[in-house]
């Protein structure tokens, strides 16, 4: 009991510190929708980088990736490596120009940017694009946010024995506090503090885990003894071989161009010239996190081999923490896990509420009060999904990411490049991309060969390419 008390004290202390940061951010805010949604486009590049890393990796890293590594072994390394390559390419090719063009078009949300007036024709006929993309955002980014609440609740369940429902509700309440205190600025500031905690907590547990395994050599030996396939570098049973598999996950990383909660950080940075600096900081910090999460997953498999049959492998991190660390450090790990999940959930809920209040109900676009009401409504929707849906964090995140990447990504790239595009073609790109993604995964069952983001995004670009070559370019903008 004493151990749980100390864990709780440490955990609550960290949560209070994050809440104080979020509340302090309110002293810098302006009571405008632009400030609530984009922090007046004045975010420091360091904060942008750390926030983007925290919101991108999230509970998916602490729960999903560690659990996946626990089950698969060394071969799981290719997903974070490929993902990092694709993500870097997205920041390098797209995000700087997104910052510039979103300000030129006065777009405060991703959906409004996708439905922006065509810069070549001067016509504003994209209202239907905005509506459909906003609905996609609310439906699937809301599902993504629910996965974060599930991840947070899993940590609380493993350490305190609380049921999932209670953990989900606590997470939702904290998200609302963050959002209400200062909108996206509070989200970014708290994300940045949480990012530092994420890096430190994973690093500590990885090092302690390796020491308890006896070093890399002993870890390898232990994994071999449990199951020789755990030390295979190449994943087993790849239907089309390694290269298509690896390429699919590179494109998955590039799918960041379809994630509103990440895109909004590029739109909010203080200068387009600082995007490259933020990208590099994010990349370095992200790789440290990915490497240590990989190490935690492997050491957990070696030290807690029965977890795969007796419990949930996605709880490897909290169980390993309790096995190896003193109570105060377990509280630190739980705070790191909880922070990773909440830092993403608040960003996603803000993006969904922006889609609701700014894009679906344009009459309330300038109402600061309605922006906050929309946040409450979206949080309630996400809460219901989290309480009633699947509790597999890895599967929920991968599914939601692919739908957003395929539905919004290709169109966003074309908008950033300022290519002429008609409303019917834009809508066709979104809908067909989503259909192909779902069919590839659920219908054809080919995601183990190539992750569905590649065929889904490729289809969106192919639709545009066919129309482009068959149509006068002047017609594309109508």
């Amino acid at each position: 009991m004493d151990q749980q008390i100390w864990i709780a004290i440490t955990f609550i202390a960290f949560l209070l510190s994050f809440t104080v940061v979020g509340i302090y951010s309110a002293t810098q805010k302006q009571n405008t929708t632009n400030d609530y949604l984009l922090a007046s486009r004045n975010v420091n590049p360091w904060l942008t980088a750390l926030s983007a890393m925290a919101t991108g990796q999230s509970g998916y890293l602490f729960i999903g990736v560690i659990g996946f590594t626990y089950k698969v072994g060394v071969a799981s390394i290719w997903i974070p490596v490929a993902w990092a390559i694709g993500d870097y390419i997205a920041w390098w090719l797209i995000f700087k120009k997104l910052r510039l063009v979103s300000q030129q078009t006065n777009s405060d949300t991703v959906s409004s940017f996708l439905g922006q007036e065509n810069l070549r024709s001067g016509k504003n006929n994209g209202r239907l694009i905005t509506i459909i993309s906003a609905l996609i955002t609310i439906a699937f980014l809301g599902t993504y946010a629910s996965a974060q609440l599930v991840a947070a609740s899993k940590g609380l369940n493993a350490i305190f024995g609380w049921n999932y429902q209670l953990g989900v509700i606590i997470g939702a309440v904290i998200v609302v506090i963050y959002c209400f205190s200062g909108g996206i600025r509070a989200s970014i500031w708290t994300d940045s503090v949480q990012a530092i905690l994420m890096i430190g907590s994973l690093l500590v547990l990885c090092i302690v885990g390796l020491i308890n395994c006896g070093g890399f050599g002993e870890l390898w030996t232990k994994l071999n003894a449990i199951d020789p396939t755990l030390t295979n570098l190449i994943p087993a049973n790849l239907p089309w071989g390694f290269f298509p598999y690896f390429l699919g996950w590179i494109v998955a990383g590039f799918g960041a161009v379809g994630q509103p909660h990440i895109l909004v950080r590029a739109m909010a940075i203080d200068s387009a010239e600082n995007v490259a600096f933020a990208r590099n900081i994010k990349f370095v910090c992200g790789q440290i996190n990915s490497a240590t999460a990989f190490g935690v997953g492997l050491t957990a498999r070696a030290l807690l081999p029965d977890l795969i049959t007796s419990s949930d492998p996605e709880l490897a991190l909290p169980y390993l923490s309790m096995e190896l660390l003193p109570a105060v450090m377990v509280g630190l790990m739980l705070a790191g896990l909880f922070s990773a999940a909440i830092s993403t959930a608040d960003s996603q809920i803000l993006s969904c509420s922006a889609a609701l209040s700014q894009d679906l109900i344009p009459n309330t676009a300038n109402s600061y009060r309605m922006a906050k009401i929309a946040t409450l409504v979206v949080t309630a929707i996400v809460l219901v999904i989290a309480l009633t849906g699947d509790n597999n964090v890895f599967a929920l995140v991968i599914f939601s990411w692919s739908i957003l990447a395929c539905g919004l990504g290709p169109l966003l790239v074309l908008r950033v490049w300022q290519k002429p595009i008609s409303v019917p073609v834009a809508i066709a790109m979104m809908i067909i991309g989503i259909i192909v993604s779902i069919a590839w995964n659920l219908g054809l069952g080919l995601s183990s060969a190539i992750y569905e983001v590649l065929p889904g995004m490729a289809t969106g670009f192919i639709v545009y390419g066919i129309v482009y070559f068959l149509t006068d370019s002047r017609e594309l903008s109508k």
Side-chain angles (χ1 to χ4, degrees):
M1 181 61 69
D2 288 342
Q3 183 187 33
Q4 286 215 337
I5 290 173
W6 280 110
I7 292 171
I9 290 172
T10 308
F11 174 61
I12 292 170
F14 276 108
L15 287 189
L16 288 175
S17 68
F18 302 147
T19 304
V20 168
V21 171
I23 293 171
Y24 176 72
S25 72
T27 64
Q28 309 298 312
K29 74 176 182 180
Q30 303 169 29
N31 290 331
T32 64
T33 53
N34 179 267
D35 194 76
Y36 188 72
L37 300 175
L38 286 181
S40 301
R41 297 187 194 266
N42 195 32
V43 178
N44 177 282
W46 275 95
L47 297 179
T48 299
L50 291 171
S51 173
M53 185 212 74
T55 198
Q57 292 190 321
S58 67
Y60 162 74
L61 183 76
F62 274 68
I63 294 292
V65 169
I66 290 176
F68 183 73
T69 301
Y70 182 99
K71 291 185 286 187
V72 174
V74 173
S76 67
I77 189 64
W78 298 111
I79 291 180
V81 168
W83 197 294
I85 294 170
D87 181 75
Y88 191 91
I89 293 170
W91 278 76
W92 175 43
L93 293 180
I94 303 298
F95 282 42
K96 177 179 179 180
K97 197 155 180 62
L98 171 64
R99 172 63 176 83
L100 291 169
V101 179
S102 65
Q103 184 167 18
Q104 290 170 5
T105 56
N106 198 29
S107 302
D108 288 346
T109 69
V110 171
S111 293
S112 66
F113 179 75
L114 294 177
Q116 66 177 289
E117 63 179 354
N118 187 292
L119 296 178
R120 298 191 179 195
S121 67
K123 294 180 179 178
N124 186 3
N125 53 3
R127 177 72 188 136
L128 194 54
I129 299 173
T130 298
I131 291 172
I132 293 175
S133 61
L135 290 172
I136 292 170
T137 297
I138 293 169
F140 295 103
L141 197 60
T143 302
Y144 196 156
S146 75
Q148 307 310 317
L149 297 183
V150 170
S153 71
K154 280 192 171 188
L156 294 174
N157 170 264
I159 292 177
F160 297 124
W162 297 350
N163 63 43
Y164 284 126
Q165 289 76 13
L166 179 59
V168 166
I169 293 169
I170 290 173
V173 170
I174 292 174
V175 164
V176 170
I177 292 172
Y178 284 177
C179 293
F180 270 38
S181 63
I184 193 68
R185 178 178 282 102
S187 174
I188 290 173
W189 283 31
T190 53
D191 284 359
S192 300
V193 178
Q194 290 164 346
I196 295 169
L197 178 60
M198 288 168 64
I199 295 170
S201 57
L202 280 174
L203 190 60
V204 167
L205 188 58
C206 181
I207 292 171
V208 173
L210 282 171
I211 292 171
N212 277 267
C213 284
F216 288 103
E218 282 298 312
L219 171 61
W220 197 271
T221 302
K222 284 180 169 63
L223 292 173
N224 256 321
I226 295 169
D227 183 350
T229 63
L230 291 173
T231 55
N232 289 346
L233 188 59
I234 302 300
N237 304 318
L238 295 178
W240 296 350
F242 177 74
F243 181 74
Y245 171 83
F246 189 67
L247 180 62
W249 287 105
I250 289 177
V251 178
F254 184 77
V257 297
Q259 312 302 318
H261 61 298
I262 297 175
L263 295 170
V264 74
R265 276 146 177 77
M267 294 165 65
I269 196 170
D270 57 7
S271 167
E273 300 307 315
N274 286 331
V275 168
F277 179 74
R279 175 195 68 213
N280 293 336
I281 295 298
K282 175 187 179 294
F283 181 80
V284 171
C285 293
Q287 297 331 292
I288 293 172
N289 268 357
S290 294
T292 50
F294 175 72
V296 169
L298 294 181
T299 55
R301 187 61 191 269
L303 297 171
L304 304 171
D306 296 333
L307 194 59
I308 197 162
T309 54
S310 63
S311 185
D312 181 356
E314 288 197 338
L315 296 176
L317 181 141
Y319 281 134
L320 188 65
S321 301
M322 289 189 289
E323 182 76 16
L324 302 180
L325 301 176
V328 171
M329 294 304 295
V330 174
L332 170 71
M333 293 305 307
L334 180 58
L337 187 164
F338 203 82
S339 300
I342 298 304
S343 68
T344 299
D346 61 4
S347 305
Q348 292 166 332
I349 286 173
L350 277 171
S351 291
C352 289
S353 65
L356 176 61
S357 65
Q358 307 296 298
D359 302 320
L360 291 184
I361 314 174
N363 291 338
T364 66
N366 294 318
S367 171
Y368 181 64
R369 179 171 171 270
M370 283 303 299
K372 288 196 166 186
I373 291 174
T375 299
L376 284 176
V377 171
V378 169
T379 303
I381 294 171
V382 169
L383 186 59
V384 170
I385 296 172
L387 292 173
T388 60
D390 193 338
N391 69 350
N392 186 316
V393 175
F394 189 85
L396 277 172
V397 169
I398 291 298
F399 175 75
S400 303
W401 181 281
S402 65
I403 297 297
L404 291 165
C406 299
L408 305 182
L411 180 58
L412 182 124
V413 170
L414 294 175
R415 286 302 197 198
V416 165
W417 289 343
Q418 300 178 36
K419 297 297 182 182
I421 183 167
S422 67
V423 172
V425 173
I427 293 172
M429 288 173 63
M430 290 189 286
I431 293 174
I432 293 174
I434 290 174
I435 291 173
V436 168
S437 173
I438 294 174
W440 191 269
N441 185 333
L442 302 180
L444 301 175
L446 292 174
S447 293
S448 59
I450 295 181
Y451 180 43
E452 63 265 20
V453 170
L454 193 158
M457 291 190 74
T459 302
F461 287 118
I462 289 170
V463 167
Y464 180 79
I466 291 172
V467 175
Y468 182 84
F469 285 110
L470 295 180
T471 309
D472 186 321
S473 61
R474 288 173 297 182
E475 295 296 315
L476 276 170
S477 61
K478 293 183 178 179

